[in-house]
Amino acid sequence: AQKVTQAQTEISVVEKEDVTLDCVYETRDTTYYLFWYKQPPSGELVFLIRRNSFDEQNEISGRYSWNFQKSTSSFNFTITASQVVDSAVYFCALSSYNQGGKLIFGQGTELSVKP
Amino acid sequence: DAGVIQSPRHEVTEMGQEVTLRCKPISGHNSLFWYRQTMMRGLELLIYFNNNVPIDDSGMPEDRFSAKMPNASFSTLKIQPSEPRDSAVYFCASSLVGQGDNEQFFGPGTRLTVL
């Protein structure tokens, strides 16, 4: 069975703090893909990043960085120097090679960045 | 470049009424997904289509729900009869067919309220 766990339901930080959102996944497949999506208060789901199971290189995009570790089945997301505009619900998701793109989402982490 | 288009954006109806949600995927995408988001169950996949053919409808809650994709540019999700527990945000997403590696682009969602 496939499963994504985001243990942090809510996180509150003050602007300019760094914050890490945790994501742990379960799958028996050897080829799979991991995603992060952002859902701001306006409600839409915005794609942030995709990683495949063969690429454990960490990725940095501006203030965002992602740490993928197969050994611990984790795909954590760090925001450096958080800003109020980062306030949103963040979802981690998993899909497998033979599932046709079906996404399994975690429950989401609500991040609140206060000025 | 138009994204995924959903209509209506908001729907308020009374229990027992038929509800039809509509989705136009991104041109050129050949996979389409319907998701439902609730506080209790989070984001869950209801059904997805590949080249207009339903592939996995195991997430459809019951026979009151049905989905169609008559052509590559249009899909509907119908609830008949609707019940208060169907109140949720329904998202449509599309992607290029692949093996789970392509990101899905989400529409703005339809917020359904069943009184």
Side-chain angles (χ1 to χ4, degrees):
Chain A
Q2 296 184 311
K3 186 178 178 182
V4 176
T5 301
Q6 294 179 255
Q8 305 150 308
T9 305
E10 298 178 9
I11 300 177
S12 182
V13 299
V14 176
E15 209 170 18
K16 298 184 182 177
E17 284 185 25
D18 298 347
V19 58
T20 296
L21 311 182
D22 298 333
C23 173
V24 174
Y25 62 92
E26 296 175 29
T27 180
R28 293 181 181 174
D29 296 316
T30 55
T31 302
Y32 54 89
Y33 307 90
L34 296 163
F35 302 80
W36 276 94
Y37 281 84
K38 174 182 180 180
Q39 187 174 40
S42 51
E44 72 272 24
L45 281 156
V46 179
F47 165 78
L48 294 178
I49 191 172
R50 174 192 68 237
R51 303 301 285 176
N52 70 54
S53 53
F54 297 115
D55 183 1
E56 286 192 72
Q57 275 194 333
N58 291 332
E59 181 152 341
I60 298 175
S61 175
R63 296 184 297 107
Y64 295 172
S65 62
W66 291 268
N67 184 319
F68 176 28
Q69 292 194 343
K70 287 179 74 172
S71 60
T72 56
S73 297
S74 65
F75 186 43
N76 297 337
F77 172 30
T78 297
I79 302 175
T80 302
S82 59
Q83 300 177 0
V84 173
V85 293
D86 296 327
S87 297
V89 181
Y90 292 86
F91 291 94
C92 181
L94 166 72
S95 74
S96 287
Y97 177 78
N98 59 355
Q99 294 281 318
K102 177 178 177 177
L103 281 174
I104 306 298
F105 282 91
Q107 285 297 99
T109 296
E110 182 173 4
L111 174 65
S112 176
V113 182
K114 301 187 185 309
Chain B
D1 218 16
V4 175
I5 299 171
Q6 291 186 247
S7 64
R9 294 292 308 277
H10 301 273
E11 177 81 27
V12 180
T13 191
E14 293 189 347
M15 183 173 63
Q17 296 297 306
E18 176 181 305
V19 175
T20 300
L21 311 182
R22 297 173 176 80
C23 176
K24 177 178 169 55
I26 292 173
S27 177
H29 283 187
N30 47 15
S31 289
L32 184 140
F33 306 79
W34 282 101
Y35 292 88
R36 179 172 67 175
Q37 185 177 30
T38 61
M39 288 295 293
M40 291 297 295
R41 300 176 66 89
L43 269 163
E44 51 182 347
L45 178 70
L46 299 177
I47 184 172
Y48 76 92
F49 296 83
N50 221 349
N51 294 318
N52 312 338
V53 176
I55 302 299
D56 183 351
D57 65 354
S58 59
M60 295 285 262
E62 48 199 274
D63 291 345
R64 297 184 297 106
F65 285 69
S66 62
K68 293 181 180 179
M69 192 165 186
N71 57 62
S73 58
F74 184 66
S75 176
T76 59
L77 177 67
K78 183 181 293 187
I79 308 172
Q80 179 186 22
S82 57
E83 297 182 2
R85 59 191 168 127
D86 301 330
S87 297
V89 179
Y90 291 81
F91 287 101
C92 175
S94 72
S95 73
L96 284 171
V97 71
Q99 299 299 331
D101 56 338
N102 291 318
E103 62 265 34
Q104 294 178 20
F105 295 87
F106 283 77
T110 294
R111 181 174 295 276
L112 174 65
T113 303
V114 183
L115 303 174

